Structures are given as structure tokens and as C-alpha cells.
Amino acid sequence: MEQVEVMQAGQDKWTWYQMKDAKLLMEHPDFDEHLQKWAQESLMCTHNQITSVYYKEKNENYISGTLAINMNPDHWEDVHILHYYIDEKRLVTIGDPTWLFHNMDNHEWNQYILGCDYPVDGFMFVVNAIIRAFFGRMDEIEMQLKEIEFQMKENNGGKLLREIVDLRNQMTRWNVQTVALKEIRFAIEEVFPALVKDAQTFHTLKVRLARIQMLQTAYEHEIDTLLKIDDNVANYRSNNIMKTLTVFTVLLTPMTALGAIWGMNFKNMPELEWKWGYLASLILIFGLTGLTYWWLKRKGLTGDILDMNLEHTSKKTRKKTVHPSE
């Protein structure tokens, strides 16, 4: 049976209890009823939750909670659960942190945390590692954004909406996960103000949260811009299609009207006896059609009705643009 891993920081400053199963904590002799109750509640928690307690008079300061982190946008049900409890002398973590190691091994990871002056410093190192993993996901979103922008430039046929909306949904989920880390940052500052005032880990936490928020805001703005562009392109094409259909309908009106008249089956129709009736009808039909087209063109209603290639149009515009230095 896997045991609780108990690690002591330098000069016995504080103790780190690390385990993968909360049941072990409930059975551990070092923990009082308060911690055992927290462990029992943690077993039932699978979502982001935080509790911060600051009683200076009772000397009872601690933070506890659960982090539910997902790093796979294709399977949002795959969640890394990390339960944590921090007071001035103890850090308790429940969960598998191996996905946060990056280029470190387990021993190096432990040494970094145990090298911190206080338990809250060690926990902030863990949170900073989570944010670092988020930066990797932001890089992937940036690459997807560039790919969509390239596709929109090459072929803006209105088929990219699904990809843009999917990217927007990803950003919403990442923002929700970042909110939990921001809440931890404020809880730490509330409960341990003196300990984190000059701590490098806390400074790193604030800067990384600011960076991730900046990236999320920028990417959200870019995604919203892509949605507006897609909407404008769709409206432009719809307007052109309606304009084209309207022009064709008007052009065919003389032919339709005259064809309806001469398609009647009345017995007494003098035009049926005309020698040149067929030729005259064709001349009249095409003449009226041409006259209708001339009138539409004179009113400016036929311009560019068949030119829906925005890329082709932009190229012609660039050719006409003269650089100031030329």
C-alpha cells in the first residue's frame, strides 16, 4: 500500500505531506480531526474550490481547496485534480503532479519545493508550474489563430465559422481555469501577507497571472475580430447573391411576360397569322431585355454582381495603389 510521503524542508522549517490518495491522509497519525475532515471533504470535490481562513487572534491561518485542471481541449472530461492545504508549518498536497514537471524529474521537483522558506512558497511554486503549462496551451491557440487567419485570407468562403467558434469556446474554458488561479493568488495575499510580501515566488505568480490574462484578452479580441470578419464576408456574399438574382429576375421579366401572352390558347389571336410574327417576337423580346439591362447598368445596379472573389478584388486594389516612395 502506497504511504504518505513526508518531506522535511531545510533546518526543519516546515513539513510537506505529499500523497496521491486522500484516504491515506485520513488514516495518518500526524493529522488532527480538522485535517482529516478536510481530507474527507476533498474526496467528494471534483471542481475548483477554495477556503481561506485568517484568525490572527487564534493564530489559525490556513488555505485549503481543490484545483481541477484540464489540459486537453479535445477531452474536457480529463481533469487533473489537486487537493491542497497550507498553514504556516505544513503543506499537504493530494494528487499526481507529474504532468507539471516539464523538464524536471521527481527528485528535482521535490528539491525546488523543499528549498522554499515557507509552505505557501512551495505551493506557489506548484501554481506557477500550472500557469507555465497554460502558456504552452496559449501558444497552441496562437498557432490555430494564425492558421485560421491564413485560411480566411486564401479562401474566405464562410466555412471557417465552426473553427472560430470552437476556438472561442476553448478560450472561455481556459479563462474559467485561470480564474481559479487568480482566486488562489488573492487568498494567499489575504492569509499570509507578511510571508509573501517580498517572496520571489509570489512576485512570479503575480507576473505570470498578468501575462496569461494579457494573452487571453489579446486572443479573445482577435477571435472576436475574426467572427466579425466572417460575419461581414457572409453578409457581403449574401447581398451579392440577392443582387445577382434580382438583376436576372428583372432581365427575364420581358421574356417571361411576352412568353406568357403568346403562350395563351385563345382561338382568335391575330399574331398567329403574321408572316414575320416569330421573328418580330424574338426581336421584341431581346430588344426589351437589352433595353432593361441598359437601364439597370445606367442606374449602377449591375456593377460587380458576378465578382465575389474578395482575394481577386484585393489584388486589383493593390495594383492600383502607388507607394509614396515611387
Side-chain angles (χ1 to χ4, degrees):
M1 179 179 177
E2 184 183 14
Q3 299 299 316
V4 179
E5 188 174 1
V6 182
M7 292 169 283
Q8 204 76 27
Q11 299 179 354
D12 297 335
K13 291 181 179 179
W14 57 275
T15 307
W16 178 21
Y17 299 87
Q18 183 182 17
M19 64 207 76
K20 294 183 179 180
D21 191 350
K23 294 180 181 179
L24 300 175
L25 187 146
M26 290 189 293
E27 301 169 356
H28 200 277
D30 288 357
F31 302 127
D32 53 21
E33 292 181 2
H34 173 70
L35 265 174
Q36 290 177 357
K37 181 181 178 181
W38 165 76
Q40 189 173 10
E41 293 174 350
S42 297
L43 281 174
M44 299 180 290
C45 185
T46 58
H47 59 276
N48 289 311
Q49 176 181 291
I50 183 171
T51 301
S52 57
V53 176
Y54 179 61
Y55 292 133
K56 186 175 181 181
E57 296 79 7
K58 297 181 181 181
N59 195 25
E60 185 182 355
N61 305 338
Y62 71 88
I63 298 173
S64 65
T66 300
L67 270 175
I69 303 297
N70 178 280
M71 298 302 296
N72 188 352
D74 297 325
H75 300 281
W76 288 103
E77 68 279 3
D78 296 339
V79 178
H80 298 285
I81 300 294
L82 176 66
H83 307 290
Y84 56 88
Y85 178 94
I86 314 112
D87 58 25
E88 294 186 357
K89 292 295 182 179
R90 295 174 297 187
L91 168 62
V92 182
T93 58
I94 306 173
D96 184 5
T98 54
W99 63 280
L100 294 171
F101 287 178
H102 303 296
N103 297 324
M104 294 186 293
D105 56 25
N106 185 55
H107 177 73
E108 189 176 6
W109 170 267
N110 292 342
Q111 291 303 310
Y112 265 103
I113 295 177
L114 294 172
C116 297
D117 293 333
Y118 303 100
V120 66
D121 285 332
F123 180 67
M124 285 190 292
F125 178 82
V126 176
V127 176
N128 286 332
I130 294 175
I131 301 175
R132 181 182 173 186
F134 279 14
F135 283 127
R137 296 302 306 159
M138 290 299 105
D139 290 341
E140 294 180 15
I141 288 179
E142 180 182 5
M143 295 303 296
Q144 293 179 48
L145 270 173
K146 289 181 179 179
E147 179 64 24
I148 291 176
E149 289 172 355
F150 176 77
Q151 292 180 32
M152 183 170 284
K153 179 181 178 182
E154 293 297 315
N155 181 18
N156 40 34
K159 298 181 180 180
L160 297 174
L161 180 61
R162 185 179 184 125
E163 295 183 34
I164 300 174
V165 171
D166 179 66
L167 204 57
R168 189 71 179 83
N169 291 337
Q170 285 191 48
M171 284 301 306
T172 301
R173 292 189 178 104
W174 287 116
N175 289 348
V176 170
Q177 295 191 104
T178 306
V179 168
L181 303 181
K182 293 176 182 176
E183 186 181 7
I184 289 175
R185 173 248 196 250
F186 287 112
I188 289 173
E189 195 170 19
E190 171 194 352
V191 177
F192 304 108
L195 299 183
V196 302
K197 181 179 179 181
D198 300 317
Q200 179 61 37
T201 49
F202 187 65
H203 173 74
T204 303
L205 176 61
K206 291 192 296 184
V207 172
R208 286 190 176 180
L209 283 174
R211 282 178 58 196
I212 202 74
Q213 183 174 8
M214 178 272 296
L215 290 175
Q216 290 172 342
T217 301
Y219 294 159
E220 281 182 341
H221 176 73
E222 195 164 351
I223 291 171
D224 290 341
T225 301
L226 289 176
L227 287 172
K228 291 178 182 178
I229 292 174
D230 186 83
D231 184 55
N232 290 336
V233 169
N235 290 335
Y236 173 81
R237 290 178 176 275
S238 298
N239 291 337
N240 269 349
I241 291 172
M242 293 303 299
K243 186 177 179 182
T244 302
L245 294 176
T246 301
V247 170
F248 274 116
T249 301
V250 173
L251 285 175
L252 295 176
T253 297
M255 186 182 300
T256 303
L258 294 174
I261 292 174
W262 287 322
M264 296 178 182
N265 293 320
F266 292 110
K267 185 175 182 179
N268 296 319
M269 293 184 68
E271 295 92 339
L272 296 177
E273 303 297 330
W274 291 355
K275 180 178 180 180
W276 303 103
Y278 178 70
L279 179 61
S281 65
L282 291 179
I283 293 174
L284 182 61
I285 288 173
F286 287 110
L288 287 176
T289 302
L291 183 64
T292 303
Y293 178 76
W294 172 81
W295 180 81
L296 290 172
K297 189 170 184 179
R298 183 180 179 186
K299 293 293 184 179
L301 300 176
T302 62
D304 296 329
I305 61 172
L306 299 178
D307 185 10
M308 295 192 218
N309 190 335
L310 299 183
E311 182 185 1
H312 177 67
T313 304
S314 63
K315 287 182 179 178
K316 291 194 296 184
T317 304
R318 285 197 297 268
K319 288 180 180 178
K320 293 179 182 179
T321 305
V322 180
H323 196 276
S325 62
E326 294 180 354

